[in-house]
Amino acid sequence: MVTQEAFLFSGTIADNIAIGRPEATRAEIEEAAKAIGAHDFITSLPDGYDTDVRKRGGRISAGQRQLVAFARALLADPAVLILDEATSSLDVPGERAVQQAMDTVLAGRTAVVIAHRLSTVEVADRVLVMEQGRIVEDGHPSTLMTAQGHYAGLHQAWRDSLVG
């Protein structure tokens, strides 16, 4: 599970990536980080993968914490992955980096993605739009776009916000 605020434990970057698979080798940890796009920022830290992230990951940015959380998920290799608002607290550059990470970690697995940011769900095979606790639309994003319903309206408002 990757949540809105990626929780990191006191310890090193490598320890945090390997939480879901503690027997992972250093090479496997680095491979997961490279696949997610986190390797460059990690190696730029004072002690690289051995850098202590400090309490709650306070030594690195929110976007970097998200990338570590995605590397953790990729290394754990779950059959089902839950993303709960995984991009909502990020700025645009951070969101772009995490979007690329999401494409990598979601490939070949089932994911439940809870999101308000439509950029997060554009890659979905199926979208359920909920309003007041009820499903009001269900379908592929492109199908929902042509239906001119709730999803299409949300998508247009999101696109307009990017331009203005």
Side-chain angles (χ1 to χ4, degrees):
M1 181 169 186
V2 179
T3 60
Q4 178 177 350
E5 185 178 330
F7 187 83
L8 299 187
F9 300 91
S10 293
T12 68
I13 296 277
D15 292 340
N16 273 278
I17 292 173
I19 282 175
R21 208 172 121 216
E23 76 284 355
T25 66
R26 180 56 153 262
E28 291 169 326
I29 292 167
E30 290 182 17
E31 185 179 317
K34 286 176 185 174
I36 291 301
H39 181 74
D40 289 344
F41 101 77
I42 293 170
T43 56
S44 73
L45 295 171
D47 295 314
Y49 284 86
D50 295 319
T51 299
D52 188 334
V53 298
R54 298 192 179 134
K55 188 176 183 180
R56 297 179 58 95
R59 190 171 199 173
I60 59 177
S61 74
Q64 291 169 333
R65 286 192 300 272
Q66 287 298 84
L67 290 174
V68 169
F70 276 102
R72 177 191 300 159
L74 184 63
L75 183 64
D77 194 26
V80 176
L81 182 62
I82 299 171
L83 304 180
D84 186 2
E85 296 288 358
T87 63
S88 66
S89 64
L90 302 175
D91 58 11
V92 173
E95 182 183 6
R96 283 190 189 117
V98 170
Q99 279 302 137
Q100 292 173 343
M102 283 178 53
D103 291 345
T104 300
V105 79
L106 295 178
R109 74 183 81 244
T110 298
V112 176
V113 180
I114 302 160
H116 284 87
R117 284 192 180 184
L118 296 181
S119 58
T120 305
V121 299
E122 286 183 317
V123 299
D125 296 323
R126 181 179 179 196
V127 172
L128 301 175
V129 179
M130 297 186 71
E131 185 175 72
Q132 297 179 357
R134 299 180 55 102
I135 296 171
V136 294
E137 288 182 308
D138 177 358
H140 189 276
S142 63
T143 304
L144 295 178
M145 285 292 297
T146 60
Q148 298 303 309
H150 288 80
Y151 182 84
L154 291 168
H155 197 276
Q156 186 60 50
W158 171 65
R159 287 279 182 207
D160 291 346
S161 74
L162 295 177
V163 175

